[in-house]
Amino acid sequence: MEKTGSAAFIFEADTPWEDLGGGVKRQILGYDGQLMMVKVVFEKGAVGTLHHHYHSQATYVAKGKFEFTIDGETRVVSEGDALFKTPDIPHGCVCLEPGILIDTFSPLRADFLKK
C-alpha cells in the first residue's frame, strides 16, 4: 500500500517554510487525506486576507494577538485562545502582535502541497 501522508515524526529543523509574502510564512507539520496541521507565523501588521474554503478549520493561537473576523463577527484573540471555522464561512485576520497560529484542516489542504 502506498503511503499518502507525512512521516510520523515531524521535526521543525527539517521542515521547510513557505514564505507567503506580506509578513506571513507557513510550515506544514503533518497530514494525511483526512487531516492537516500547519504552523503559520505572522509579523505585526500582517494580514490573513478574508477568504473561505470547503474545509473545516480549527486554529490555536500559540503566540501573539490577532483581530479575527469570522462570518462577519470580529474579535481579538490572544495566546491560548482557539477558533473554529466551518466550511465556506468567510474568515481572515490582522496580526496585532507578532504571532504564531497552529491551523488544522479537514480534509487536508491539497492546494498547500502543490509546488
Side-chain angles (χ1 to χ4, degrees), residues 11-34:
F11 296 97
E12 182 178 36
D14 299 332
T15 305
W17 287 91
E18 180 181 0
D19 187 344
L20 303 177
V24 182
K25 63 182 182 175
R26 75 172 161 228
Q27 183 181 51
I28 297 173
L29 299 178
Y31 66 94
D32 65 12
Q34 299 304 308

Side-chain angles (χ1 to χ4, degrees), residues 7-8 15 40-42 51 58 64 69 71 74 82-83 93 98-99 104:
T15 305
V40 188
V41 174
F42 286 78
H51 66 285
T69 300
D71 199 22
T74 301
L83 309 107
C93 69
T104 55

Side-chain angles (χ1 to χ4, degrees), residues 19-57:
D19 187 344
L20 303 177
V24 182
K25 63 182 182 175
R26 75 172 161 228
Q27 183 181 51
I28 297 173
L29 299 178
Y31 66 94
D32 65 12
Q34 299 304 308
L35 183 66
M36 176 180 266
M37 183 166 54
V38 178
K39 183 190 304 184
V40 188
V41 174
F42 286 78
E43 295 175 5
K44 181 178 181 176
V47 175
T49 304
L50 195 67
H51 66 285
H52 64 90
H53 43 75
Y54 70 88
H55 312 80
S56 294
Q57 179 179 352

Side-chain angles (χ1 to χ4, degrees), residues 46-106:
V47 175
T49 304
L50 195 67
H51 66 285
H52 64 90
H53 43 75
Y54 70 88
H55 312 80
S56 294
Q57 179 179 352
T59 299
Y60 175 74
V61 182
K63 178 182 174 187
K65 185 181 284 188
F66 296 82
E67 180 182 82
F68 259 92
T69 300
I70 301 173
D71 199 22
E73 180 179 358
T74 301
R75 306 278 300 267
V76 173
V77 295
S78 301
E79 185 173 329
D81 294 336
L83 309 107
F84 184 77
K85 300 122 185 169
T86 55
D88 296 314
I89 297 298
H91 57 278
C93 69
V94 176
C95 183
L96 303 176
E97 295 176 3
I100 299 172
L101 301 177
I102 305 298
D103 283 327
T104 55
F105 299 95
S106 179

